[in-house]
Amino acid sequence: MNAPLLLQGKTVLVVGAAGRIGRVIVDAVLSAGGRAVALDTDAAGLKALIDTHGTAALEGATVDMADRGSIDGALANAHDRFGVVDGAVNTAYPRNPRYGRHFFDVEYADFCENTGLHIGGYFLFMQACARYALERKQPFSLVNLSSIYGSMAPRFDVYAGTAMTMPVEYAAIKAGLEHMTRYVNAYMKGRGAAFRANCVSPGGILAGQDGQFLARYGEHCLSKGMLDAKDVTGAIVFLLSDAARHVVGQNLIVDDGFST
């Protein structure tokens, strides 16, 4: 199989497609020969993304990840447009305006709202994708974007001297997401659908962070340190492809060795 065309003929939904990572995943899907359906709450961002590519292989639609009807509608529309949906990548990152405070500053209501928005939306999307695969007897590969902090404790030393922290909500969300991904695979076994779900857990992604933080972070890595979003796309394309058809319920870490 020609590696650059691992997704030839496949249709992939990308949730959070207007975001920093989502935009790059859309590029990777198209470059691998696939068709991409870009989903986001940001209508202007979606329009800019589609205008940039200008290809019939890319469609866009707004979606509400807290609304089952909105998700089901996106799947149905993608199926009607391209004839089949082969997979999806969920990079959504819903949160309220008070997300990201230091541990002792997090209020109970905000903790519950942020964890509920995030993992609740991922649950609804996983449920919809699994139902789609089951009803249509359609092989389907779902990739959830997790994080190294879903499976390891934070290295708080890298944040010293900065205003940054690793939000407690984030740790709870990503750990829960990884287990929920294993759960849905176990639940779908023996039900007559070749549905599989996996996680990709990136290390930190460059986004103009504090220089002290970047230097400390890099000390724990092999060569690059903080990653560009495109550094994660190879793992995602692989998991979406037939080359990974027997990879089920795994968490693929891409972090330049930060977690080792």
Side-chain angles (χ1 to χ4, degrees):
M1 183 178 293
N2 189 4
L5 299 179
L6 280 173
L7 302 182
Q8 183 72 50
K10 292 188 180 295
T11 299
V12 178
L13 305 186
V14 181
V15 184
R20 183 185 306 276
I21 296 176
R23 293 193 304 269
V24 179
I25 293 172
V26 169
D27 292 344
V29 169
L30 296 174
S31 296
R35 299 177 292 258
V37 180
L39 303 176
D40 208 296
T41 57
D42 180 2
L46 285 175
K47 183 178 185 305
L49 179 68
I50 292 168
D51 289 347
T52 296
H53 285 281
T55 172
L58 175 61
E59 293 274 319
T62 56
V63 67
D64 181 355
M65 294 299 291
D67 183 339
R68 173 180 168 178
S70 179
I71 297 169
D72 286 342
L75 271 163
N77 290 338
H79 183 94
D80 291 344
R81 171 67 177 84
F82 293 115
V84 69
V85 180
D86 301 280
V89 186
N90 195 346
T91 74
Y93 197 175
R95 55 203 182 276
N96 74 18
R98 294 169 299 282
Y99 171 85
R101 293 177 173 178
H102 284 256
F103 179 74
F104 287 119
D105 298 325
V106 176
E107 299 289 342
Y108 174 78
D110 289 326
F111 181 90
C112 292
E113 182 178 7
N114 282 311
T115 53
L117 283 170
H118 198 136
I119 203 163
Y122 272 77
F123 158 72
L124 273 183
F125 191 71
M126 274 192 267
Q127 188 184 59
C129 291
R131 186 184 297 112
Y132 172 89
L134 185 60
E135 290 176 352
R136 300 183 184 273
K137 304 302 180 185
Q138 167 64 36
F140 196 103
S141 175
L142 172 62
V143 179
N144 289 319
L145 200 72
S146 187
S147 164
I148 51 173
Y149 285 139
S151 55
M152 67 174 285
R155 296 188 189 277
F156 284 109
D157 60 296
V158 302
Y159 303 101
T162 76
M164 302 168 63
T165 190
M166 212 297 288
V168 62
E169 307 99 314
Y170 189 80
I173 289 162
K174 296 306 187 181
L177 175 59
E178 289 173 18
H179 194 71
M180 191 161 63
T181 300
R182 291 187 287 269
Y183 175 101
V184 73
N185 284 296
Y187 187 82
M188 290 295 287
K189 281 182 183 178
R191 294 180 181 270
F195 173 88
R196 58 191 178 86
N198 293 283
C199 289
V200 169
S201 288
I205 302 295
L206 287 165
Q209 290 93 341
D210 181 280
Q212 294 181 76
F213 166 77
L214 293 176
R216 292 195 187 99
Y217 186 100
E219 291 174 357
H220 294 280
C221 298
L222 177 65
S223 58
K224 184 169 184 176
M226 293 282 283
L227 304 175
D228 293 298
K230 66 182 179 181
D231 294 325
V232 185
T233 59
I236 292 170
V237 167
F238 165 69
L239 288 173
L240 290 169
S241 76
D242 290 341
R245 66 173 63 88
H246 303 304
V247 180
V248 182
Q250 301 303 305
N251 178 37
L252 187 52
I253 295 174
V254 184
D255 69 350
D256 194 33
F258 180 84
S259 60
T260 60

